[in-house]
Amino acid sequence: MKTRISSVLILTFIFCSTAFAQVLVGPVAGANFSWTSFSDKDLKDEYNVSPVFGYHVGGHLAFKVRKRFFLHTSLIYSTKGKNLKSEAGDLSLKLRYKYIEMPIVYTAYFKGHIGEKEFKYSLGVGPNISYWLGGKGTFENADTHEFHNGPSGVIPVDIVFGKDPGSATENEMVIQRPNRVQFGLNFTAGFLFEPVRYREVVLTLRYELGHSYLSRESDGVFSPTFPSFSESQKIRNQGFRISLAYLIDLKVEERKRGKSTIDRKRPK
């Protein structure tokens, strides 16, 4: 059901964009600062979660809805994650997640001035739709030091979906029933500059508040060799993102063609 909703939203914005007076498109990229939050208060007391840096890159689309209101959306590849440590200091789990995401933000623009230079600043809000591709990281606790055959107790791990947890290998964290389509809420603030006519540079700071758990039904399970730890997936992504987009007005040529036709038909 969630996959169908996501597909409908994507198609709606693609096809409806042609009906608006101003449509802008271009690349977007930037940096992420993300972490996860437990739903269980006891786990919050037992573990410390610290943020990690990541990045995102993709394409951006914006179209004018009303005089000062725009709808912004992107299709991006992004990395998120967290560093988790036990309060006792005997466990460390560092994970980096991979996502395909589509943030959708309804944005209002306001004019500002620096001397004689004019710029626009914005505030926005809207949903975030994410598809979880997987991830990897490292794991270390007392069991890894006792049973791992390598030179240290730190082992690399890959996140694996849908596998029987009992068959997890030493380098896998298995999530049997993941929630791969996830939803969140975006709050944004930004600045818009026009270096040349019909070109825009948009700088955006976004806070993402995750709504969906990574899984309601499954923990992250490691090899039976390490039976003392499984990671609760009743956790949500959170984080900040700074993005820079370079946008081109797609309907400039239509306006130019219309103007040329009028000029040719004007009587002398």
Side-chain angles (χ1 to χ4, degrees), residues 149-166:
N149 294 323
S152 74
V154 180
I155 65 168
V157 295
D158 289 317
I159 295 174
V160 178
F161 299 131
K163 188 175 179 179
D164 178 6

Side-chain angles (χ1 to χ4, degrees), residues 152-260:
S152 74
V154 180
I155 65 168
V157 295
D158 289 317
I159 295 174
V160 178
F161 299 131
K163 188 175 179 179
D164 178 6
S167 63
T169 68
E170 184 179 82
N171 298 108
E172 291 178 339
M173 185 178 84
V174 173
I175 304 172
Q176 192 170 24
R177 289 181 292 277
N179 183 20
R180 300 189 69 178
V181 178
Q182 300 167 15
F183 292 87
L185 188 62
N186 300 303
F187 300 93
T188 69
F191 296 92
L192 184 152
F193 306 92
E194 296 183 0
V196 294
R197 199 175 183 187
Y198 306 126
R199 302 289 187 272
E200 294 184 359
V201 175
V202 181
L203 179 67
T204 305
L205 178 65
R206 180 180 80 161
Y207 171 66
E208 178 195 344
L209 178 63
H211 171 72
S212 303
Y213 291 130
L214 273 62
S215 176
R216 283 184 173 275
E217 304 176 41
S218 304
D219 288 345
V221 178
F222 291 83
S223 165
T225 308
F226 313 133
S228 64
F229 177 75
S230 62
E231 189 202 18
S232 172
Q233 296 300 295
K234 284 189 175 180
I235 54 178
R236 298 182 174 99
N237 284 308
Q238 292 179 254
F240 290 96
R241 174 173 295 172
I242 185 167
S243 303
L244 189 66
Y246 181 77
L247 305 179
I248 300 171
D249 193 332
L250 289 183
K251 296 209 169 182
V252 170
E253 292 303 320
E254 291 183 16
R255 292 197 290 272
K256 287 180 178 178
R257 286 198 298 270
K259 183 177 179 181
S260 300

